[in-house]
Amino acid sequence: MNKQILIIGACGQIGTELTLKLREINGNNAVIASDIREGNDELMQSGPFEIVDAMDKNSIEKILDKYAITEVYLMAAMLSATGEKFPAKAWELNMTSLFNVLNFAKEKKIKKMFWPSSIAAFGPTTPKENTPQETIMEPTTVYGISKQAGERWCEYYFNNYGVDVRSVRYPGIISWKTNPGGGTTDYAIEIYNNALLVGKYDSFLNKNTKLPMMYMDDAIDATIKIMDAKPEDVKIRSSYNLAAMSFTPEEIALEIKKFIPDFKISYHEDFRQRIADSWPQSIDDSRAKEDWGWQPKFDLHKMSENMLNSLHKKFENS
C-alpha cells in the first residue's frame, strides 16, 4: 500500500522543508501539508494543503479520512522562547496535539507517526558534555517540560498499545529557507542573515555559550531515516539523541569572518541566556548511529559556506 502522509505544522521552520522533501520522494499528492495558517508559495503550490488546528481532533480526523492517511508527522509546537511568554498556551498546544495523534494511532487510524522532541527536554542537572541517551532530565522551561512529558507518553503508547511512534531530540536547527520560529538557538540563523544584510550582529547569548546544532538538511535526513527504518531497528520509543556539531556565538562569528572579513559581533544577553544555560553543550548520539544508521553530513564550515551562498542568492532574487 502506498504511503499517504499528513504533516501537521507544515508551515513552521522544519515542517516547510520536511514537506517539500517528502513530496520530492513520495510524489506531491501523497503528502498533505496542514497548518493553522497558509505557508510560503513553494509549499502551497507544490501539493495539497488543509487549514487545521493541531488541537482540534475532529478536523484532523476528517483529513485522515479524506486522504486515507497512513503516516503523520506532528511538527506543530510552541518553541522555547515563545513558550516562556505563554506557558499555559504552550503546554496546551504541545500536549493536546500529541495526544490527538497518539490516540489516532492507538485506534489504528494511522500506521505510524513522528513526533519531535528536543535538547530542551534536558535541564541544568543533565551532564553538559556528551550528554548520554539515558540521563537525568529536569527541564526548566515549559517547552522542555512538554517535550520530556511527551517522550514518556510516546513510550507509554508504544508499550501499552503498540503505537509505532518514532522520535528524535532535535538540537538547534539552522536553515536559510524559513524564518526563525521563536527558539533560543535561532541566533544561529539570524547571525547569517545579519552578516550579509548589515555586516554585524548583536547576540542575545554570550560569546562562550556552546550549544548542539544541526543544519536543516541533516535534520530532514534524520527525520525521514528514522521513519523509514524497520520497526525492529527503532529500539528507543521515547526519543533518540541526535547530534551534528556544537559551537559558540564566538566560533560561528569567526567562521563567518572567513567569508565576510569585516563582519562584527557584539553581545547583550537577554532572558534566552538562562534557557541556553540549562541545555547540554554536546550530545552523544551513538544509539541513533547504531540502531538506524544516522550520520550527519554538515560541520560548521560546510554549513556556513552553504548558508551564506544560499542566502546571498535568496537576497539577490528578492
Side-chain angles (χ1 to χ4, degrees):
M1 183 179 174
N2 291 336
K3 291 180 186 177
Q4 281 291 106
I5 298 167
L6 172 63
I7 301 176
I8 300 172
C11 299
Q13 183 198 9
I14 300 173
T16 298
E17 297 194 42
L18 177 64
T19 301
L20 296 172
K21 187 66 177 178
L22 285 169
R23 283 175 172 168
E24 182 185 310
I25 294 168
N26 298 284
N28 288 350
N29 291 328
V31 181
I32 291 72
S34 71
D35 210 309
I36 203 161
R37 56 181 169 79
E38 291 191 351
N40 65 28
D41 290 345
E42 188 178 13
L43 178 84
M44 298 302 294
Q45 293 166 14
S46 63
F49 180 85
E50 298 277 350
I51 292 285
V52 69
D53 182 344
M55 294 192 291
D56 185 346
K57 190 172 183 180
N58 290 335
S59 65
I60 295 171
E61 187 168 21
K62 287 176 184 175
I63 294 170
L64 297 183
D65 293 340
K66 179 179 176 180
Y67 294 97
I69 298 297
T70 59
E71 300 180 10
V72 173
Y73 290 74
L74 175 57
M75 310 307 290
M78 191 178 292
L79 301 183
S80 58
T82 310
E84 289 306 283
K85 296 174 185 174
F86 309 103
K89 285 183 180 178
W91 174 260
E92 185 181 14
L93 169 60
N94 295 352
M95 299 311 297
T96 302
S97 60
L98 174 59
F99 276 119
N100 283 342
V101 181
L102 282 171
N103 284 322
F104 285 131
K106 175 188 171 185
E107 295 159 10
K108 309 300 182 192
K109 284 189 167 290
I110 54 173
K111 293 183 175 180
K112 186 164 41 172
M113 63 174 285
F114 175 84
W115 172 81
S117 188
S118 163
I119 59 168
F122 299 119
T125 53
T126 301
K128 294 284 188 191
E129 292 287 351
N130 218 25
T131 301
Q133 173 64 44
E134 293 160 350
T135 187
I136 297 165
M137 300 172 76
E138 294 181 324
T140 54
T141 65
V142 66
Y143 178 63
I145 292 165
S146 69
K147 288 302 184 185
Q148 192 200 15
E151 288 189 17
R152 308 284 12 108
W153 281 113
C154 286
E155 188 173 79
Y156 183 91
Y157 269 70
F158 171 76
N159 288 334
N160 290 279
Y161 309 122
V163 167
D164 189 354
V165 57
R166 294 143 188 241
S167 178
V168 295
R169 292 170 180 152
Y170 286 132
I173 306 297
I174 301 170
S175 165
W176 61 270
K177 284 188 180 177
T178 46
N179 293 323
T184 300
T185 55
D186 283 347
Y187 90 86
I189 303 172
E190 294 172 357
I191 194 169
Y192 289 108
N193 283 273
N194 284 36
L196 284 169
L197 293 172
V198 295
K200 61 183 179 180
Y201 180 65
D202 187 28
S203 173
F204 54 76
L205 298 180
N206 75 48
K207 66 180 183 178
N208 297 316
T209 305
K210 182 181 172 187
L211 291 171
M213 297 284 189
M214 179 174 288
Y215 197 41
M216 179 66 82
D217 295 40
D218 278 337
I220 300 300
D221 181 53
T223 304
I224 294 170
K225 200 171 186 69
I226 192 173
M227 281 293 274
D228 285 346
K230 296 174 184 175
E232 60 268 25
D233 290 338
V234 184
K235 296 179 172 68
I236 294 169
R237 294 296 181 151
S238 51
S239 194
Y240 276 92
N241 275 3
L242 200 66
M245 62 187 111
S246 290
F247 53 78
T248 66
E250 184 175 47
E251 287 169 337
I252 196 173
L254 288 171
E255 197 62 48
I256 289 171
K257 280 175 175 284
K258 294 176 183 177
F259 302 93
I260 306 171
D262 294 334
F263 174 70
K264 291 180 174 58
I265 186 166
S266 54
Y267 303 94
H268 291 92
E269 298 173 20
D270 71 9
F271 73 99
R272 287 167 285 193
Q273 183 65 50
R274 180 178 55 83
I275 297 173
D277 288 341
S278 74
W279 291 349
Q281 297 180 359
S282 60
I283 301 289
D284 176 5
D285 62 351
S286 53
R287 290 294 303 275
K289 290 172 177 172
E290 290 166 11
D291 290 357
W292 42 275
W294 157 244
Q295 199 63 49
K297 297 182 178 72
F298 287 84
D299 59 14
L300 178 55
H301 180 78
K302 187 176 178 183
M303 178 185 73
S304 296
E305 185 176 37
N306 199 286
M307 278 288 288
L308 291 168
N309 286 339
S310 300
L311 283 169
H312 183 68
K313 290 174 188 170
K314 178 182 175 180
F315 294 150
E316 273 191 335
N317 295 329
S318 62

